[in-house]
Amino acid sequence: MLFSDVVATSEQVRATRSRKEKTAALAALLSAAGPAGIGTVVAWLSGELTQGRIGVGWRTVTGLGAAASDRNRLTVEQVDDYFTRLKGVSSTKSRREILTELFTAATEEEQSFLIRLLTGELRQGALTAQVVEGLARSTGIGVDVIRRAHMLSGNLPATAVAAITGGEDALREFRLEVGRPVAPMLASPGGSLDEALAELGPQVSVEHKLDGARIQAHRAGEQVWVFTRTLRDITAGVPELVELVRGLDCTSVVLDGETLALTDAGRPRPFQETMSRFATIGDTRELLLHPYFFDCLHLDGEDLLDEPLRVRRRALDRVAGPHAIPTLVAPDAEAAAECYDDALAVGNEGVMVKSLEAPYAAGRRGKAWQKVKPAHTLDLLVIGAEWGYGRRTGFLSNLHLAALDQDTGEPVMVGKTFKGLTDELLRWQTEEFPRHATHRDAQTVYLRPNLVVEIALDGVQTSTRYPGGVALRFARVLRYRPDKEPAQADTIETVRALGGR
C-alpha cells in the first residue's frame, strides 16, 4: 500500500465533521491495507508508531528543510522501516540523515503528515474510538467485540491484526492478562450530590474522592507491577506499594485505585508532591505513598470486569479491605451527605457516586461513575499563553484553554485565565511552554495541545467569543496534570453540559 493512501484518508477524515463519513473512509482504507499493513496503518491513524517513542521531536523535524518529492513513491512498509532505523540510532547526526532521506522521498502532503505523526500532532478525529468503528465496519465484526478486545489487549494494532486474520473468534480469545495494564474506567463530572443520587438511583456506592494519582496494581505469585493512569510502568519507583501488594492474601489480583502521600497528621499532601515520586524511577525519596483501592478487576484466577460493582466490591473488601477507599454501599440521602461532608473534612476532594449494577467499562467515560465536588472542575488543554504585565512582566501568564472536540480530535478554545497561578507556576510555564510552541506573536506564545491543566470554575455561559460557543465563568488554575494524556482532557460536550446546553 502507498503511504499516500494513508495520508489522503487522514486528510479526508480531518476535513469532515460527519462521523459516518469518517467511519466509511477509515473502513475503506483498512480493508485495502490487508494483514501485512493493517497493524501499522491502525497505529498511525491513532497517532502512534508501532516502534513507540523513537527520540524525534518537534525541533528536529521542523528544522530539516528537506525539499519535497514531486510524486508519490513511498510505501507504508518503507516508511515503517525508516521509523525502525530511527529508533535504533542515538547519534543526532545519524538521526537527521535518516530523517532527511525520508522527507526528501516524501511529497509535501506526506511531509506534513509525517511531522504531525512524529510530534504527536495527528489530531484529525481518527483517534482510537473512530479507528475502532472503522475497523468494525471493514471487518463486519461488532464494535463492542472489537472495543473489548482492544481494552483487554491494550494494543489496537494487535487487535486489528487479530480481527482481519482470525475474525470474531480470534478477538474473543483476548483475556485480561495479569501484568498487562487495562485502560482505566473514567468518571464524568456530576452536578450536586442530590442530582447524582437521583440519576443513578438508590443502588449506588458513595466513596471519598482522593486528590491522588491513579494506579493499577497487578500481582501474579510474587511478581508485582504498578501502572499509572496512562499505563506507564512505575513498579521500580514505588517499592512500598509493591511490598504491600505482594503481602495481600491472594495468588493473583488486579486492583484499581489511587495513591497519595500524607502529612504527619494523616491528611493528603498536595497532588504535586505525590506526582514527584513518579518523576524519577528508582528514586524512592523520603515521601512514602499510601494506596487506596476502589475496584478489583481480577482475583485468584477469576476475571471480574463484567461483574457488577457490588460483586467487585466484595472481592476488593476480601483481598484488600484495610487499604480500600472509605465507601458507603446503598446509603440513604442523609448518610450520603454525611459521607460527602466527612470527605471534605479530612482533606479529600469530594465523593464518587457509582452504580452498583455497572460493569467495569475500561477506557470509557460514562454516567455510571460520577464525581461530585464543591466546585466544578475540568481538565483542559493549554493552547497558548500571553506575556504578563505589571508584576508578571517577563512571565508567560494568561492561559488559552481548550476542550477536545470528540468528533475531530481538535482542541476547541473555551476561555482564558491567569487566576490561581503561583510564582512557582509562572516560572515553570515560562521555562516549559517554549518547548511546546508552534508559533508566536508579540503578545502570545501558541502551543501544541500537549499539556493538561485542571481548572476550577463557577460555571459556563453561552458566548460567541470563543469557537465552542461557551465561555468559562471565573476560571482558575488548580494544578497541571502530568498524569493525564491530552486525549484524556474533557470534551466540549462536557463543558457545554455544565451550562445546561
Side-chain angles (χ1 to χ4, degrees):
M1 170 179 280
L2 286 174
F3 180 48
S4 58
D5 293 336
V6 180
V7 175
T9 299
S10 173
E11 186 54 37
Q12 183 180 353
V13 170
R14 182 186 177 92
T16 180
R17 295 188 62 86
S18 168
R19 199 171 188 89
K20 184 177 180 180
E21 291 180 17
K22 291 177 189 288
T23 301
L26 291 168
L29 179 69
L30 296 176
S31 295
I38 193 168
T40 301
V41 171
V42 162
W44 292 350
L45 291 173
S46 302
E48 301 175 355
L49 302 180
T50 59
Q51 296 82 2
R53 295 182 179 180
I54 60 175
V56 175
W58 177 266
R59 291 182 181 178
T60 304
V61 295
T62 56
L64 288 175
S69 171
D70 60 358
R71 62 188 180 91
N72 298 315
R73 51 177 172 162
L74 285 169
T75 66
V76 168
E77 183 180 19
Q78 287 172 331
V79 175
D80 196 47
D81 285 343
Y82 275 109
F83 294 156
T84 300
R85 289 170 57 192
L86 285 164
K87 188 176 180 65
V89 299
S90 56
S91 163
T92 301
K93 180 181 178 182
S94 298
R95 187 177 289 122
R96 287 186 64 87
E97 289 174 350
I98 295 171
L99 282 169
T100 300
E101 183 180 331
L102 169 60
F103 273 66
T104 302
T107 64
E108 186 174 338
E109 292 79 9
E110 291 170 338
Q111 286 184 349
S112 175
F113 181 91
L114 286 168
I115 290 173
R116 289 183 288 122
L117 177 61
L118 290 169
T119 59
E121 282 288 294
L122 197 63
R123 303 177 186 279
Q124 80 263 323
L127 298 175
T128 301
Q130 198 72 58
V131 175
V132 166
E133 293 182 16
L135 184 59
R137 178 162 176 172
S138 69
T139 59
I141 299 172
V143 67
D144 288 342
V145 176
I146 294 176
R147 186 179 291 125
R148 178 177 173 77
H150 171 225
M151 175 264 291
L152 291 172
S153 71
N155 186 313
L156 188 54
T159 303
V161 171
I164 201 169
T165 58
E168 186 169 332
D169 289 343
L171 293 177
R172 293 192 182 279
E173 290 298 315
F174 285 104
R175 296 287 184 271
L176 186 152
E177 181 179 316
V178 178
R180 183 173 63 195
V182 173
M185 183 171 177
L186 305 174
S188 295
S192 68
L193 179 60
D194 288 341
E195 289 171 339
L197 293 174
E199 181 173 354
L200 295 178
Q203 294 304 304
V204 296
S205 69
V206 179
E207 65 189 40
H208 287 205
K209 186 181 188 313
L210 276 57
D211 189 18
R214 187 82 173 261
I215 56 168
Q216 193 175 117
H218 291 231
R219 175 182 161 193
E222 293 299 304
Q223 180 69 50
V224 174
W225 302 263
V226 182
F227 303 97
T228 66
R229 175 193 300 271
T230 57
L231 312 187
R232 182 166 65 95
D233 188 339
I234 56 166
T235 308
V238 289
E240 68 271 45
L241 301 184
V242 171
E243 181 180 0
L244 185 146
V245 173
R246 187 177 286 135
L248 297 177
D249 185 17
C250 62
T251 57
S252 64
V253 71
V254 176
L255 298 168
D256 193 1
E258 300 263 347
T259 188
L260 69 164
L262 302 177
T263 66
D264 292 340
R267 294 178 67 86
R269 288 184 179 271
F271 176 78
Q272 288 80 3
E273 292 189 27
T274 294
M275 287 304 300
S276 71
R277 278 294 309 276
F278 300 160
T280 306
I281 296 300
D283 181 4
T284 60
R285 310 190 183 188
E286 297 180 357
L287 196 63
L288 292 179
L289 296 176
H290 300 264
Y292 294 88
F293 299 113
F294 52 72
D295 219 319
C296 183
L297 313 185
H298 170 98
L299 182 59
D300 289 339
E302 182 180 1
D303 292 345
L304 302 173
L305 288 164
D306 294 328
E307 297 291 342
L309 175 59
R310 66 173 69 254
V311 173
R312 304 198 309 274
R313 184 76 206 187
R314 287 197 292 267
L316 173 65
D317 290 340
R318 179 170 75 80
V319 71
H323 310 290
I325 287 179
T327 302
L328 293 181
V329 176
D332 59 27
E334 183 178 354
E338 290 180 1
C339 180
Y340 179 65
D341 291 340
D342 289 344
L344 297 179
V346 298
N348 293 324
E349 290 187 305
V351 295
M352 297 287 297
V353 182
K354 300 178 178 179
S355 169
L356 289 170
E357 307 304 328
Y360 191 90
R364 302 183 67 185
R365 189 187 301 276
K367 287 293 187 179
W369 287 11
Q370 297 189 26
K371 48 189 174 184
V372 178
K373 303 180 183 181
H376 295 299
T377 63
L378 292 168
D379 293 322
L380 300 175
L381 298 167
V382 181
I383 59 173
E386 298 171 10
W387 291 103
Y389 54 89
R391 188 179 67 84
R392 296 186 176 188
T393 298
F395 293 101
L396 286 170
S397 176
N398 200 20
L399 303 180
H400 294 197
L401 303 170
L404 276 181
D405 185 317
Q406 67 179 20
D407 290 329
T408 67
E410 299 282 354
V412 181
M413 191 168 177
V414 291
K416 300 180 181 181
T417 191
F418 55 81
K419 296 178 180 178
L421 291 171
T422 64
D423 290 345
E424 181 181 0
L425 278 179
L426 287 170
R427 287 192 294 269
W428 177 82
Q429 289 179 176
T430 305
E431 179 181 348
E432 180 68 20
F433 283 4
R435 300 188 179 108
H436 304 269
T438 58
H439 62 288
R440 63 182 71 197
D441 55 32
Q443 183 59 33
T444 306
V445 176
Y446 299 93
L447 310 179
R448 301 190 304 279
N450 292 342
L451 301 171
V452 180
V453 65
E454 186 174 357
I455 299 294
L457 62 155
D458 290 355
V460 171
Q461 62 190 26
T462 301
S463 172
T464 58
R465 183 176 182 181
Y466 300 114
V470 292
L472 309 178
R473 296 182 64 248
F474 302 107
R476 50 209 180 270
V477 173
L478 292 180
R479 58 189 175 176
Y480 280 88
R481 296 302 302 256
D483 60 322
K484 290 193 174 184
E485 298 286 349
Q488 294 175 322
D490 283 309
T491 65
I492 186 63
E493 287 75 11
T494 296
V495 177
R496 289 170 179 162
L498 292 179
R501 291 186 60 187

